Amino acid sequence: MGYVTRIVIIGGGPGGYEAALVAAQLGAEVTVVDCDGLGGASVLTDCVPSKTLIATAEVMTTFDSSYEELGIIVADDTPPLEQAARVVGVDLGKVNRRVKRLALAQSHDITASVTRAGARVMRGRGRLDGMQGLDGSRKVVVTAADGSEETLTADAVLIATGGHPRELPDAQPDGERILNWTQVYDLTELPEELIVVGSGVTGAEFAGAYQALGSKVTLVSSRDRVLPGEDPDAAAVLEDVFRRRGMNVMARSRAQSAKRVGDRVEVTLADGRVITGSHCLMAVGAIPNSAGLGLEEAGVKLRDSGHIWTDKVSRTTAPGVYAAGDVTGVFALASVAAMQGRIAMYHFLGDAVAPLNLKTVSSNVFTDPEIATVGYSQADVDAGKIDARVVKLPLLRNPRAKMQGIRDGFVKIFCRPGTGIVVGGVVVAPRASELIHPISIAVDNNLTVEQIANAFTVYPSLSGSIAEVARQLHTRKAGGEA
């Protein structure tokens, strides 16, 4: 019997479990060391739970904003004087019980898949122990919950430990009134007045979701606008929708502290203003879980932010040590973590490997409307990083959008001036996460706007707008317009 390559993976999130599946399929002996349950934060406290909560919010929004226009009559016994009362309500306790149930079920499914593939799952915390051995192996010490330790020997180690919510010193979450995004699923009643601090993706998603569920929401943004890292046109649409639905969006307002005053929360801003609510959600970024892993002693270089430095095949500066996911700070997306983990295993085990190409990554903000992006961005074009032509088409002109009562959103595509090759796109629409895929395929395969324009689309459909934008870009190219 020949030698079997030993792989130890520290962390069971998308970066870890996807790597485990690949390594096991390629014949390695794989051990996954995990302390919370496979799926990691993505499945247990972040992506899966938040999108499950948002699924309920989505139904509420669709009902609230469209039913009258679509001619739907709701039988209601509200007394005439209170006729404006909300017709549909939500049982947040029930919603959150479903959220947790689905997250656990997903975690169990992942554990079953990894085990079925032949990998071993160990419950505990792993850390690297010293430098590489003379035979090229690495030692990983696993500490179980009861304090007992076991040392594993590995030919390669993958660090996929993720991150945790960043906290402000004067706004410590208590899990009851002041919350981080992992604690919101313990709420049994809908917050009456929710203050969301942070207008990045997490803050915007939760602000929009709780607004739809019936909370009065104030969104505190330290920047000029909501979603400062996203396409400016898309962010403008979303901010307009938020304000129109009654959200109090406070731009250029940095939160200094948050404290409980009885059953209220007071948030003090940097300019001295004080705002109050029943609850406060802190969404001010994440910190990588890179401490206490023995990384620097093992020769693994960390950035100033605490993220692990990696190259495009997920290698760290220490031979035989790879890293994937949020702990690397490359892109805080489950899809990118999974790709980094798979690439690491392909590379180490000698399989065909393509380096990570961030210009083909598609991502989505699960607000209502959703914002999906792929490839080069408006910021890249404006900064001169790439020369591209742009066409943006509002959904308001789309026949299917008219039928469904969709007023907000657009399709935007970026293509190269000479060749018409598609290099990026933005979709703002309900289920933009589904609509971005044809543009992703185009970007990944260097397709031209002519090819997109010539492919059949269903009539009427929202995807028809993608073809229409491509036709406009192709016509302008043919006509020699800039």
Side-chain angles (χ1 to χ4, degrees):
M1 186 176 163
Y3 179 79
V4 177
T5 305
R6 300 157 299 181
I7 304 284
V8 173
I9 297 167
I10 303 176
Y17 74 73
E18 288 285 352
L21 291 170
V22 164
Q25 285 158 4
L26 292 175
E29 179 188 284
V30 184
T31 303
V32 182
V33 180
D34 183 79
C35 55
D36 298 319
L38 291 199
S42 173
V43 168
L44 295 167
T45 59
D46 192 354
C47 207
V48 169
S50 65
K51 279 37 167 187
T52 308
L53 178 82
I54 286 165
T56 300
E58 196 176 77
V59 173
M60 299 283 283
T61 309
T62 304
F63 190 84
D64 261 12
S65 60
S66 301
Y67 79 96
E68 284 184 38
E69 183 179 335
L70 298 180
I72 297 167
I73 298 169
V74 179
D76 185 17
D77 58 1
T78 309
L81 289 174
E82 300 165 31
Q83 202 66 66
R86 192 181 182 86
V87 176
V88 180
V90 69
D91 180 340
L92 192 65
K94 194 170 184 180
V95 171
N96 280 340
R97 285 193 294 277
R98 177 174 183 260
V99 165
K100 290 179 177 179
R101 190 170 67 246
L102 289 179
L104 279 175
Q106 180 72 0
S107 179
H108 289 151
D109 286 349
I110 292 165
T111 305
S113 296
V114 169
T115 308
R116 204 163 46 237
R120 174 192 180 199
V121 178
M122 281 185 76
R123 201 71 184 258
R125 295 187 178 275
R127 70 176 190 277
L128 287 169
D129 188 23
M131 301 296 283
Q132 195 173 24
L134 293 174
D135 61 351
S137 66
R138 292 275 178 182
K139 300 283 187 213
V140 175
V141 177
V142 181
T143 307
D146 61 6
S148 61
E149 290 190 347
E150 183 178 336
T151 301
L152 307 174
T153 303
D155 299 297
V157 177
L158 175 71
I159 310 292
T161 45
H164 62 275
R166 180 171 161 258
E167 294 175 358
L168 300 181
D170 295 325
Q172 294 293 315
D174 60 12
E176 291 177 6
R177 295 280 171 179
I178 303 173
L179 310 151
N180 64 36
W181 71 75
T182 71
Q183 298 168 330
V184 292
Y185 310 106
D186 293 325
L187 291 173
T188 54
E189 290 185 6
L190 191 68
E192 278 181 45
E193 300 164 83
L194 178 67
I195 301 166
V196 178
V197 176
S199 64
V201 173
T202 303
E205 286 184 348
F206 276 116
Y210 279 102
Q211 176 89 6
L213 294 173
S215 297
K216 188 170 182 284
V217 176
T218 297
L219 181 59
V220 179
S221 170
S222 62
R223 308 286 283 275
D224 287 350
R225 59 179 172 86
V226 171
L227 295 174
E230 296 296 319
D231 180 89
D233 292 335
V237 168
L238 188 68
E239 188 164 330
D240 179 52
V241 169
F242 277 176
R243 291 183 193 276
R244 208 169 62 222
R245 288 179 184 156
M247 189 184 297
N248 177 18
V249 180
M250 301 179 69
R252 295 180 293 282
S253 303
R254 186 175 293 278
Q256 201 87 49
S257 66
K259 65 176 181 178
R260 279 187 64 166
V261 181
D263 60 357
R264 305 281 292 170
V265 177
E266 282 187 0
V267 175
T268 303
L269 305 180
D271 61 8
R273 285 178 296 166
V274 177
I275 50 177
T276 66
S278 62
H279 296 75
C280 175
L281 170 63
M282 303 301 298
V284 288
I287 291 172
N289 295 329
S290 57
L293 297 174
L295 296 177
E296 287 170 299
E297 297 83 349
V300 176
K301 180 185 171 188
L302 299 180
R303 301 182 193 275
D304 292 342
S305 59
H307 292 101
I308 298 173
W309 182 91
T310 54
D311 65 10
K312 290 191 186 302
V313 289
S314 306
R315 287 180 295 194
T316 70
T317 50
V321 181
Y322 293 76
D326 289 8
V327 77
T328 68
V330 171
F331 254 171
L333 295 171
S335 57
V336 173
M339 187 63 79
Q340 287 178 291
R342 287 191 290 261
I343 285 172
M345 295 301 103
Y346 293 142
H347 182 267
F348 186 76
L349 295 168
D351 206 43
V353 62
L356 184 68
N357 180 7
L358 295 178
K359 284 304 166 198
T360 62
V361 173
S362 55
S363 63
N364 192 67
V365 184
F366 288 85
T367 45
D368 180 33
E370 293 181 2
I371 299 171
T373 52
V374 66
Y376 283 93
S377 67
Q378 186 72 58
D380 293 329
V381 175
D382 294 344
K385 287 184 183 176
I386 189 168
D387 187 14
R389 290 186 300 111
V390 184
V391 164
K392 184 181 89 168
L393 192 68
L395 279 185
L396 206 53
R397 300 184 202 168
N398 179 290
R400 185 75 189 273
K402 289 190 181 88
M403 294 165 195
Q404 292 186 283
I406 298 167
R407 299 184 195 87
D408 304 293
F410 60 81
V411 173
K412 181 196 281 191
I413 293 177
F414 306 91
C415 79
R416 299 289 281 153
T419 58
I421 288 173
V422 178
V423 292
V426 182
V427 179
V428 180
R431 302 293 164 95
S433 46
E434 312 293 347
L435 286 168
I436 198 68
H437 193 231
I439 306 176
S440 295
I441 291 172
V443 170
D444 202 35
N445 292 281
N446 296 318
L447 301 183
T448 66
V449 287
E450 182 182 11
Q451 288 170 304
I452 303 298
N454 287 339
F456 274 95
T457 55
V458 170
Y459 182 88
S461 69
L462 295 184
S463 57
S465 287
I466 296 171
E468 179 56 32
V469 170
R471 269 192 290 278
Q472 289 192 19
L473 279 164
H474 176 54
T475 305
R476 293 184 186 189
K477 170 175 162 271
E481 288 184 33

